[in-house]
Amino acid sequence: MNAPTIESLSTTIGPVGQWVYLAGNNFIENETKVFFGSIECPIAFYAAVSIGLSIPEGSSGENVFKVVTPNGEFISDIVFTVGVPSAPPTVTSFVNHSNPLENCVYVAGTNFVCEQTVISYNGKTATANAYVYSPESCGFAKENIEDVITSITLTTPNGAATFSS
């Protein structure tokens, strides 16, 4: 068996708690550990080529990820910065889930902040499953599948942005 590798990260900046997806190779379910600097990260195994993790408490500054399996270890050269974007957010688009029976909406833009972004649509705050995936993408669940979204506002510590359809 080969040692693990990391080929890409879903994002390279975010606060403690930011969810990051690692794409690579040779991850092993229940036998893969990931470290951000010297701190072990809580992970979710998806496949031998994909795992997710949360930036752990106590993390700060810039660092890289190390993946360890029984077959070896790999230290990435991709730097992740613990922090938040300093500019106000922008919203460039939103789309409903491709399955009309789902009530999920995905939003694209810039400068979203994990656990510090409030998502509102049609004047209502999205409280169900609102989640920032990266500084460029987030999503939420509409209260009702039938809701037709006419505007979305994202508010971060750095400001707010509204997008209307």
Side-chain angles (χ1 to χ4, degrees):
M1 297 293 296
N2 293 325
T5 64
I6 299 172
E7 296 176 0
S8 66
L9 310 177
S10 61
T11 184
T12 57
I13 186 172
V16 167
Q18 174 70 56
W19 196 254
V20 180
Y21 297 96
L22 304 182
N25 290 295
N26 306 315
F27 304 141
I28 303 170
E29 188 169 14
N30 299 320
E31 296 187 42
T32 298
K33 292 184 179 185
V34 179
F35 296 85
F36 180 69
S38 62
I39 303 173
E40 188 171 354
C41 303
I43 68 167
F45 178 89
Y46 298 115
V49 297
S50 179
I51 55 179
L53 61 91
S54 176
I55 299 299
E57 289 291 330
S59 298
S60 62
E62 295 180 338
N63 222 317
V64 295
F65 293 99
K66 176 172 77 171
V67 178
V68 178
T69 71
N71 299 322
E73 68 180 50
F74 179 85
I75 299 174
S76 173
D77 61 353
I78 305 169
V79 175
F80 183 91
T81 302
V82 177
V84 298
S86 59
T90 65
V91 178
T92 55
S93 66
F94 65 88
V95 296
N96 286 298
H97 192 282
S98 58
N99 179 345
L101 300 178
E102 293 285 334
N103 63 343
C104 297
V105 177
Y106 302 100
V107 183
T110 61
N111 303 315
F112 306 157
V113 181
C114 179
E115 298 180 4
Q116 299 177 43
T117 297
V118 176
I119 305 169
S120 301
Y121 69 98
N122 300 348
K124 298 186 279 189
T125 300
T127 56
N129 300 319
Y131 195 78
V132 173
Y133 304 111
S134 76
E136 295 82 30
S137 68
C138 65
F140 65 94
K142 299 183 289 186
E143 286 181 17
N144 299 301
I145 291 175
E146 298 82 23
D147 284 350
V148 175
I149 296 177
T150 57
S151 70
I152 291 180
T153 300
L154 269 72
T155 306
T156 73
N158 301 312
T162 298
F163 184 89
S164 298
S165 59

